[in-house]
Amino acid sequence: MDGVFKKLRTLDAYPKINEDFYSRTLSGGVITVTSSIVMLLLFLSELRLYLHAVTETKLVVDTSRGETLRINFDVTFPALPCSIVSLDAMDISGEQHLDVRHDIFKRRIDAHGNVIESRPDGIGSPKIDKPLQRHGGRLEQNETYCGSCYGAEASDEDCCNSCEEVREAYRKKGWGLSDPDLIDQCKREGFLQQIKEEEGEGCNIYGYLEVNKVAGNFHFAPGKSFQQSNVHVHDLLAFQKDSFNVSHKINRLAFGDYFPGVVNPLDGVEWTQQTSYGMYQYFIKVVPSVYTDINGHKIQSNQFSVTEHFRGTEFGRIQAIPGVFFFYDLSPIQVTFTEQHVSFLHFLTNVCAIVGGVFTVSGIIDSFVYHGQRAVKKKMEIGKFS
């Protein structure tokens, strides 16, 4: 056994030196304390990194099919009444949603931004139940009211019992309503009078849209929209106004759910209209994103970049619909974010690298200082140091 131990002793890569031959210096003590503090700080930093999750980012091709895109929005129009503004959405597949109202909420606000007490959507009083007309004639005994649609009926049985229903029938026909006073329902409900009373009010619109995951647009604009000769137009004549102030503030706009680290560049953006008419356009590039937290829970969402553009009038002639338009397109690249912990072996390797690296560097510095001091001292002894 003694022979085996002797052979093992010859393999010792760390030969020991008798303490009698050691020479301890002040500079060595300072360097040792400093290097120990550096080691401790680096160790704590590595330990913090090990205990907390890190996020790994990857770019992959988006292969998802048949999904929908959720658009969450909260937009305030300080000078456009809720009864005038409408929301439309359409995409390149040909699908259109005109005057969207489901999952959309409107709040009337005054000139100071305070919320006015809400009331049923639409302009004017509740629809007339029993006026003295039936498609232009008088009601018979026990006959229910059926108001005229003024030529916009799809069949003889169609009824328009309110101004809103007449406007909707005209929209479906692709007609514009030029003079509401010529419509009995609108005149009785005080359509134009109500518009004048709401002058100076604003509107806060918030909610969400579920659209196809293809390129498209959605926009806020005054008046009801309809197709006329394959052109998307808005009926603005019914309001008998010379201009529409579409100044707006985007409180929030997000394509999908929130996830840690996401930044929505349009949040808080505000535009104040300087001209009588204008189309505010936002060209958005949507990037699909998947966030996986440390527990494996996935959040399917999106990030986006945006370019802004304003299109006004030219030579006094209206060249564009006044409103706020969001044109979005989807990137074929998907970004994946994955939370994960650093492995213990990686942590151990980094700790060893810290200890060994700092120890080696401090040894080099100590050797340089020690030999430098000896050289200076020797020159001083022989009188050559100046």
Short mmCIF file of all heavy atoms in Angstrom, two decimals, residues 27-39:
data_model
loop_
_atom_site.label_atom_id
_atom_site.label_comp_id
_atom_site.label_asym_id
_atom_site.label_seq_id
_atom_site.Cartn_x
_atom_site.Cartn_y
_atom_site.Cartn_z
N SER A 27 0.71 44.57 -0.47
CA SER A 27 0.03 44.65 -1.77
C SER A 27 -0.72 43.35 -2.06
O SER A 27 -1.83 43.36 -2.61
CB SER A 27 1.04 44.93 -2.88
OG SER A 27 2.01 43.90 -2.95
N GLY A 28 -0.13 42.22 -1.68
CA GLY A 28 -0.80 40.94 -1.88
C GLY A 28 -2.09 40.85 -1.08
O GLY A 28 -3.10 40.31 -1.55
N GLY A 29 -2.06 41.38 0.15
CA GLY A 29 -3.28 41.37 0.97
C GLY A 29 -4.38 42.22 0.37
O GLY A 29 -5.56 41.83 0.35
N VAL A 30 -4.01 43.41 -0.16
CA VAL A 30 -5.00 44.29 -0.80
C VAL A 30 -5.60 43.63 -2.03
O VAL A 30 -6.82 43.65 -2.26
CB VAL A 30 -4.36 45.64 -1.16
CG1 VAL A 30 -5.33 46.49 -1.98
CG2 VAL A 30 -3.93 46.38 0.10
N ILE A 31 -4.74 43.02 -2.84
CA ILE A 31 -5.23 42.35 -4.05
C ILE A 31 -6.12 41.17 -3.69
O ILE A 31 -7.14 40.91 -4.34
CB ILE A 31 -4.03 41.90 -4.92
CG1 ILE A 31 -3.30 43.13 -5.48
CG2 ILE A 31 -4.50 41.00 -6.07
CD1 ILE A 31 -2.01 42.79 -6.21
N THR A 32 -5.77 40.44 -2.62
CA THR A 32 -6.60 39.29 -2.20
C THR A 32 -7.98 39.74 -1.77
O THR A 32 -9.00 39.12 -2.15
CB THR A 32 -5.90 38.55 -1.05
OG1 THR A 32 -4.61 38.10 -1.48
CG2 THR A 32 -6.73 37.36 -0.60
N VAL A 33 -8.03 40.80 -0.96
CA VAL A 33 -9.34 41.30 -0.51
C VAL A 33 -10.17 41.78 -1.70
O VAL A 33 -11.37 41.48 -1.81
CB VAL A 33 -9.15 42.44 0.53
CG1 VAL A 33 -10.50 43.09 0.85
CG2 VAL A 33 -8.50 41.91 1.79
N THR A 34 -9.52 42.54 -2.60
CA THR A 34 -10.24 43.06 -3.78
C THR A 34 -10.76 41.94 -4.66
O THR A 34 -11.93 41.94 -5.11
CB THR A 34 -9.31 43.98 -4.60
OG1 THR A 34 -8.81 45.01 -3.76
CG2 THR A 34 -10.06 44.59 -5.77
N SER A 35 -9.90 40.94 -4.93
CA SER A 35 -10.33 39.82 -5.77
C SER A 35 -11.43 39.01 -5.11
O SER A 35 -12.34 38.50 -5.78
CB SER A 35 -9.13 38.93 -6.10
OG SER A 35 -8.57 38.38 -4.92
N SER A 36 -11.42 38.91 -3.78
CA SER A 36 -12.48 38.18 -3.07
C SER A 36 -13.82 38.88 -3.22
O SER A 36 -14.86 38.25 -3.42
CB SER A 36 -12.13 38.03 -1.59
OG SER A 36 -10.93 37.29 -1.43
N ILE A 37 -13.78 40.23 -3.12
CA ILE A 37 -15.03 41.00 -3.30
C ILE A 37 -15.56 40.84 -4.73
O ILE A 37 -16.76 40.65 -4.94
CB ILE A 37 -14.77 42.48 -2.97
CG1 ILE A 37 -14.45 42.64 -1.49
CG2 ILE A 37 -15.99 43.32 -3.35
CD1 ILE A 37 -14.03 44.05 -1.10
N VAL A 38 -14.64 40.88 -5.70
CA VAL A 38 -15.06 40.70 -7.10
C VAL A 38 -15.65 39.31 -7.30
O VAL A 38 -16.68 39.14 -7.97
CB VAL A 38 -13.86 40.93 -8.05
CG1 VAL A 38 -14.23 40.55 -9.49
CG2 VAL A 38 -13.40 42.38 -7.98
N MET A 39 -15.03 38.29 -6.74
CA MET A 39 -15.57 36.92 -6.83
C MET A 39 -16.97 36.84 -6.25
O MET A 39 -17.88 36.24 -6.83
CB MET A 39 -14.65 35.95 -6.08
CG MET A 39 -13.39 35.55 -6.79
SD MET A 39 -12.50 34.30 -5.83
CE MET A 39 -10.93 34.31 -6.66
#
